[in-house]
Amino acid sequence: DDDDDARVGAAAEEEYDDFLPLKNEAVMDGHRKVVSALALEHTGSRLLTGSHDYTVKMYDFNGMRRDLRPFREITPDDGYPIHALSWSPSGDQFLVVTGGPQPKIYDRDGRELGEFDKGDMYIRDLKNTKGHCSPCTSGAWHPTDRDQALTASADGSLRIWNVSMCGDPRGAQKSVVKPQLARPGRVQVTSCAYNHDGSMIAGGVTDGTVQLFPSSGGSSYRNARVGLVLPPSAQCHLDNHWSFASRPKTTFKSAHAPGESITSVAFARDGNMVLSRCADGTLKVWDARNASKVVKVFHGLETTHEETQVGFSPNDAFFYTGVDAPMSRASEGDGALCVFSKDKLEMVRKIGTKGNCVAAAWHARLNQLFLGCGDHKGGHASALYDDRRSERGMLVCVGRKARSKSNADFVNISLQNIAYTPHALPMFKEPMPGKKAEGEGYIGTRKSKEKSKKPLQVQSRKAAGTLLTQSIMKESGMIGDKNWRLQDPREAILRHAKDAEENPWRTRNAYAETQPEPIFHESEDEASDSD
């Protein structure tokens, strides 16, 4: 019986391995902190990686070589970590959500196109502000509409933007979505997502609920002008052209513990199964047709990052999420990507990673799995692929040899027009008064291979008639004949005159043809004597 169970388990593992692209791995280093966001273009030609080091790196698989270096690095908001990245369905723009209140739009080559408006923090009703007034937490582009994007913020709202209106004086905000609260108070929306066709949006709220709203529709959204009590004209914003919604279509009540951050939400392709990942170490499976009961709960998925993602495989047969390494063991590779079966609702594979696994993206066209990992010491993006079942992507660049360095990479310098300054040559380099030259002293001696082999010579100090401090200062050149304060600067310069006259090659090539001939002034007395 044990042998039969072992054979069945091995056969099941081989079945999963036939689809999971785990045969090869490529690592893209460079981030100084954990990689918290990933985004793959829909055609699979470009990859974005965002990190807590405030930078976004852009990779082009068609132009990248074996060294796996990005072709551009941008810093959207210096001092704010990257929370989310998302490509437009056309692939010509991408959204960057940082810890600031204003998400930004960039074009395909990393040039900034604009940023969304910032709301007024002194207006309490969020539907009357033209933008987020607190740090943003998540964001996503509409899967089919290139002019619509969704963002979530710690101010407790979801906002839908018209990207084509970015930079317009009236603002780019299209709709404001306010989650329904069980009790009065302030909450944060920590995650958001679109479903497969973009008809529904989901938001994870810190009161423990996951709420689903239609992304558009006259029955759900009302104009923000309705019920608006105008303050004095000098303080009001009269043109509230956007709409707002506050009644969710479906609410998963008590989905997670109140006060915990729901790091990510995701829809299955059929739109019925919804996943919610929480910082309390749980992953819950929900059915939108029966919101009162949870389908499955997975425990023990430790995470300390508020961007830990959850998602579905391209064939919708698996779903996955990242797991942090236990405390103080992140460098030992205890982090992992956990893969679950959608039909059996059980874990089928645990892929170990170096450091904490936070972000993950499984591209449908490439059949390659990209992971964002790291800790506070450094971050990297790992690409898992199979050379038989994967297409393009990493297979294009890993086979290209990195370009070797050449002397032609440097600027050609004409040796005939070089001017040598005395202190630029090693033979004329002198240490500053009171300081030892490079290579001298105890540390320099220890680094030198020749001097470190010689035994140390003990020098006795002759301090007869003087203090120890005076003896040390005299040996270091701070007092006595070596003191630079007592030297004549003119004599210090003229002591090199003889060497410069005997060896004029240091200045002749550069100044021989450009220096004018000296013409001295003749006085009247000298002119009369000559007559």
Side-chain angles (χ1 to χ4, degrees), residues 12-172:
E13 186 175 355
E14 291 179 359
E15 178 184 356
Y16 297 135
D17 288 344
D18 287 341
F19 184 77
L20 296 175
L22 306 178
K23 185 176 181 180
N24 301 303
E25 181 181 7
V27 179
M28 291 167 282
D29 297 315
H31 285 289
R32 298 184 298 274
K33 292 184 180 180
V34 62
V35 176
S36 55
L38 291 173
L40 277 160
E41 190 193 10
H42 299 282
T43 60
S45 60
R46 293 199 174 184
L47 169 69
L48 302 176
T49 62
S51 172
H52 283 185
D53 62 1
Y54 322 133
T55 62
V56 175
K57 295 183 182 295
M58 304 179 63
Y59 297 87
D60 187 357
F61 297 130
N62 296 326
M64 188 166 55
R65 296 184 180 273
R66 194 183 300 172
D67 54 358
L68 303 180
R69 295 188 178 274
F71 73 92
R72 179 160 294 181
E73 178 180 336
I74 59 176
T75 305
D77 281 328
D78 194 12
Y80 293 102
I82 308 300
H83 290 319
L85 297 169
S86 182
W87 282 96
S88 66
S90 57
D92 59 340
Q93 298 173 346
F94 62 89
L95 170 70
V96 179
V97 179
T98 65
Q102 296 178 269
K104 294 187 177 183
I105 302 295
Y106 289 82
D107 69 356
R108 181 182 177 85
D109 296 325
R111 290 184 290 267
E112 183 178 347
L113 299 179
E115 61 182 4
F116 297 144
D117 298 323
K118 182 179 180 181
D120 190 345
M121 67 179 69
Y122 297 105
I123 298 179
R124 185 168 181 82
D125 194 350
L126 296 177
K127 77 172 187 291
N128 294 329
T129 60
K130 61 180 181 179
H132 292 296
C133 52
S134 294
C136 293
T137 56
S138 182
W141 209 297
H142 195 281
T144 58
D145 188 356
R146 65 182 302 272
D147 292 331
Q148 184 174 323
L150 171 69
T151 58
S153 172
D155 60 8
S157 68
L158 293 157
R159 297 180 188 266
I160 300 175
W161 304 88
N162 189 351
V163 180
S164 61
M165 297 288 289
C166 188
D168 191 272
R170 298 184 62 190

Side-chain angles (χ1 to χ4, degrees), residues 328-403:
S328 74
R329 294 211 306 270
S331 60
E332 298 181 6
D334 289 336
L337 180 76
C338 298
V339 182
F340 304 86
S341 174
K342 179 184 174 183
D343 297 332
K344 299 180 180 179
L345 294 180
E346 62 181 8
M347 184 186 298
V348 297
R349 197 64 186 267
K350 193 172 183 179
I351 307 169
T353 60
K354 182 179 180 181
N356 307 320
C357 182
V358 179
W362 196 338
H363 198 274
R365 182 176 296 183
L366 304 180
N367 192 22
Q368 298 177 12
L369 189 58
F370 294 85
L371 308 178
C373 311
D375 50 20
H376 65 283
K377 298 180 182 179
H380 64 276
S382 297
L384 304 178
Y385 62 96
D386 192 321
D387 52 2
R388 293 183 301 169
R389 289 183 290 271
S390 299
E391 297 181 3
R392 299 190 63 80
M394 295 303 299
L395 295 175
V396 177
C397 55
V398 293
R400 293 175 177 169
K401 185 178 179 180
R403 181 176 178 273

